[in-house]
Amino acid sequence: MALKTKDNAIFKWVLFILISTGSFGLLAQSKSIVKKIIRSDFQRYFDQCHVAGAIAIYDHKSDTWILSDTTETRSPALPASTFKIINMLIALETKTIKDEHSIVQWPGATDTLKYGYRPNIYKNITVKEAFEVSAGWAFIEIAKKIDRSVYRKYLEACDYGNVDLSESGSDFWNFGSMGISPINQVEFLQKLYTGDLPFSKRNMDIVKHVMISEKNNDYIIRSKTGWTMANQMNTGWWVGYVEKKDDVYFFATRLIQDRRFNRPDFSDCRKAITRKIFKDLKILH
């Protein structure tokens, strides 16, 4: 009896220590703790391109985040054409388009000051081709058919960005106050990969297929680039995930550059920086 009383006293003392130090909660949640690695040395690649930038990578197998910093990776910015991923999902789910082969009719004109002069895309175009060549006008035409309340519903359900749809123009992902961070981009892509989004499996499979930008015997890259010149700033993205036989790596790279110091290699730097980091991490060779 005395031994039992002594054991109870010891248990209560250990429990007191765990609670008072916060260790009890850590023990209870130890299985859900996610590893995080900060690689500030990656900044040299952004410096080489003379841009401010950040990259967020998530290693699915090891449940590990690899971040270039702890602030910019959480800072929101316009998603630009990376929004085409969720835009296509919403268009499919609402039956605004039937599938990736649906034709978007060329409206006859576009704002070349905003989007540059690209005569090769000024034609009737399939949704798949519009995604691949980033024909912004086509997704603007699609967006005109979807009410903002519908966008809000899906963006909130997907926990996508700040859901600020105050921009009056149809192109609210390239202009206005909408924003998403690199970490949030990766979180969304994870949900797409696992199918944990409010869209049918059929529609998610279509978008995953359209996203394939590179494929060989060693890996598949499903991705989307983005670039907007709003507010006299270049905001560029490359987001997606690399599927290998033994792992999946999700990534979101964002570059920001004042257009007063515009460089012709800004577009190339989005992928160049990411690939250098992939090489450092031995994700790709």
Side-chain angles (χ1 to χ4, degrees):
M1 186 71 178
L3 182 61
K4 186 175 181 180
T5 302
K6 183 179 180 181
D7 288 343
N8 285 340
I10 292 172
F11 174 77
K12 289 178 180 178
W13 177 247
V14 171
L15 184 61
F16 171 78
I17 293 172
L18 288 172
I19 293 173
S20 62
T21 61
S23 300
F24 186 77
L26 289 176
L27 287 176
Q29 299 174 26
S30 60
K31 291 184 179 179
S32 64
I33 293 175
V34 179
K35 288 176 284 186
K36 186 185 297 182
I37 299 170
I38 307 301
R39 292 290 302 268
S40 57
D41 57 307
F42 289 161
Q43 193 60 47
R44 69 186 185 276
Y45 296 128
F46 295 97
D47 292 343
Q48 288 168 7
C49 278
H50 298 275
V51 296
I55 184 169
I57 298 171
Y58 178 75
D59 181 337
H60 181 73
K61 185 177 180 179
S62 67
D63 195 19
T64 301
W65 282 91
I66 305 168
L67 309 174
S68 58
D69 63 81
T70 57
T71 54
E72 286 303 307
T73 50
R74 295 186 177 278
S75 175
L78 285 160
S81 284
T82 65
F83 189 76
K84 287 182 173 66
I85 299 172
I86 194 168
N87 209 0
M88 188 174 173
L89 285 166
I90 294 170
L92 286 164
E93 199 71 18
T94 57
K95 295 181 170 54
T96 305
I97 58 173
K98 181 180 178 181
D99 54 34
E100 71 271 38
H101 305 298
S102 296
I103 302 293
V104 185
Q105 299 292 320
W106 166 240
T110 188
D111 191 333
T112 56
L113 291 178
K114 283 184 176 182
Y115 309 110
Y117 181 60
R118 300 176 61 197
N120 58 310
I121 64 170
Y122 302 156
K123 60 180 181 179
N124 294 348
I125 196 170
T126 67
V127 174
K128 183 175 186 292
E129 184 182 359
F131 186 97
E132 292 171 344
V133 302
S134 214
W137 70 263
F139 280 86
I140 292 172
E141 292 303 304
I142 291 171
K144 289 176 181 177
K145 300 176 182 179
I146 303 172
D147 192 81
R148 288 292 173 91
S149 63
V150 176
Y151 273 114
R152 180 173 298 279
K153 180 185 76 170
Y154 281 110
L155 293 177
E156 289 178 347
C158 295
D159 191 24
Y160 185 99
N162 61 9
V163 198
D164 188 331
L165 303 177
S166 58
E167 167 65 23
S168 59
S170 300
D171 194 3
F172 55 83
W173 54 89
N174 272 324
F175 302 93
S177 301
M178 186 180 182
I180 187 170
S181 70
I183 286 177
N184 196 184
Q185 289 265 27
V186 168
E187 290 170 336
F188 171 72
L189 292 166
Q190 286 177 267
K191 293 174 187 175
L192 176 60
Y193 174 76
T194 59
D196 190 23
L197 288 174
F199 307 105
S200 71
K201 182 180 183 302
R202 178 249 187 196
N203 292 338
M204 286 190 284
D205 285 345
I206 287 175
V207 172
K208 289 177 186 178
H209 177 70
V210 171
M211 284 176 65
I212 295 175
S213 54
E214 191 174 336
K215 184 177 182 179
N216 57 39
N217 292 330
D218 297 320
Y219 61 83
I220 299 173
I221 299 179
R222 303 177 196 267
S223 68
K224 185 71 192 79
T225 55
W227 183 2
T228 177
M229 296 174 278
N231 305 315
Q232 294 303 306
M233 299 293 289
N234 285 322
T235 302
W237 292 90
W238 191 32
V239 309
Y241 55 96
V242 181
E243 293 178 273
K244 300 179 73 174
K245 293 177 182 179
D246 62 341
D247 205 351
V248 184
Y249 301 89
F250 302 85
F251 67 92
T253 304
R254 186 183 68 206
L255 282 58
I256 296 179
Q257 178 188 71
D258 191 318
R259 285 189 58 77
R260 289 177 300 173
F261 311 108
N262 192 41
R263 286 165 54 105
D265 62 351
F266 180 82
S267 178
D268 294 337
C269 280
R270 295 172 296 179
K271 290 187 177 182
I273 291 171
T274 309
R275 288 184 177 277
K276 287 177 182 177
I277 291 171
F278 282 169
K279 187 175 181 180
D280 285 354
L281 296 173
K282 295 182 171 53
I283 295 173
L284 297 178
H285 299 291

